[in-house]
Amino acid sequence: RKEVEQDPGPFNVPEGATVAFNCTYSNSASQSFFWYRQDCRKEPKLLMSVYSSGNEDGRFTAQLNRASQYISLLIRDSKLSDSATYLCVVRGPGGSYIPTFGRGTSLIVHP
Amino acid sequence: NAGVTQTPKFRVLKTGQSMTLLCAQDMNHEYMYWYRQDPGMGLRLIHYSVGEGTTAKGEVPDGYNVSRLKKQNFLLGLESAAPSQTSVYFCASSYSTINEQFFGPGTRLTVL
């Protein structure tokens, strides 16, 4: 089983739609969780950290389910500009230096 | 703050040539990383550093060397470039082992 798994997609949705991605992780001792966005041939950029109680940033909501070992990202009112690849990243426990990246989920928002 | 910068942005090499990629960060981060990303593939860790003067191998270290002589800089060297090293190279840094990473804009390398 891969350490961090994501559905590669692509998720093809119309503008204005709500779309959700999940990411599962295998190490129950993982401590921190992030969603990154990567545009084609550009560097990954932090979209949001994921907190235990869940957190929201505008149209984006992230959730963590430690019992089932997954994190989720919900995008409401999708925009054309949301088209990108979304990477799930898991870090920790504290002695582990190397973050674990998912392979990414591709989102295409069409008019 | 400039964050993480990388030089050069683009480079074309001939097989067998050598080059050094420079990564610099101004956030006083301890941890620095070099990744490569190939079309349709995820990020693969080449080498990383947990502090000035330290380096360690990642997932795909063969054909690369690194140095971290100063805390703010992390250099990636290719001693004898091969076409298989054609890729986009990203540098990243983080404050701790559980904080987020910040990425540089990448170096696009082509080896002919």
Side-chain angles (χ1 to χ4, degrees):
Chain A
R1 180 184 173 187
K2 292 182 182 177
E3 292 186 56
V4 174
E5 292 199 53
Q6 295 183 252
D7 181 343
F11 285 65
N12 206 318
V13 303
E15 272 186 291
T18 296
V19 61
F21 311 135
N22 279 346
C23 166
T24 59
Y25 61 95
S26 60
N27 188 343
S28 60
S30 298
Q31 286 188 257
S32 51
F33 308 87
F34 308 94
W35 283 104
Y36 280 74
R37 170 196 170 122
Q38 185 174 27
D39 294 290
C40 188
R41 298 178 66 77
K42 297 285 185 67
E43 75 273 26
K45 292 186 177 178
L46 180 67
L47 180 65
M48 57 198 304
S49 303
V50 186
Y51 302 122
S52 297
S53 55
N55 48 300
E56 189 174 303
D57 183 1
R59 298 182 292 108
F60 299 85
T61 301
Q63 298 277 356
L64 167 64
N65 185 317
R66 283 195 182 272
S68 300
Q69 294 183 207
Y70 74 88
I71 66 172
S72 63
L73 178 68
L74 180 77
I75 305 175
R76 291 181 298 278
D77 189 22
S78 297
K79 312 290 185 191
L80 295 176
S81 57
D82 293 334
S83 297
T85 296
Y86 292 83
L87 303 172
C88 163
V89 181
V90 176
R91 299 207 73 171
S96 170
Y97 300 123
I98 302 173
T100 305
F101 283 78
R103 293 284 298 272
T105 296
S106 175
L107 172 65
I108 301 170
V109 182
H110 59 81
Chain B
N1 287 350
V4 181
T5 58
Q6 292 182 233
T7 50
K9 289 185 170 51
F10 303 91
R11 186 73 187 268
V12 178
L13 290 179
K14 293 181 180 178
T15 297
Q17 287 184 317
S18 63
M19 78 164 293
T20 300
L21 283 66
L22 170 64
C23 175
Q25 51 93 7
D26 61 2
M27 297 174 282
N28 201 34
H29 286 171
E30 289 291 338
Y31 302 89
M32 297 187 75
Y33 307 80
W34 275 108
Y35 293 91
R36 63 176 287 173
Q37 189 173 38
D38 301 299
M41 296 189 69
L43 292 163
R44 292 188 290 170
L45 182 65
I46 304 171
H47 286 280
Y48 64 100
S49 169
V50 302
E52 181 178 315
T54 75
T55 63
K57 294 180 179 180
E59 180 187 355
V60 288
D62 294 342
Y64 305 95
N65 56 75
V66 287
S67 64
R68 183 113 180 257
L69 299 179
K70 293 183 178 181
K71 186 176 183 178
Q72 63 267 35
N73 295 337
F74 195 27
L75 278 63
L76 178 71
L78 286 72
E79 291 185 346
S80 179
S84 61
Q85 294 177 305
T86 293
S87 190
V88 180
Y89 292 85
F90 291 109
C91 176
S93 71
S94 66
Y95 177 73
S96 77
T97 57
I98 59 171
N99 283 99
E100 67 271 30
Q101 289 178 306
F102 294 87
F103 283 82
T107 295
R108 283 147 187 81
L109 175 66
T110 300
V111 183
L112 302 175

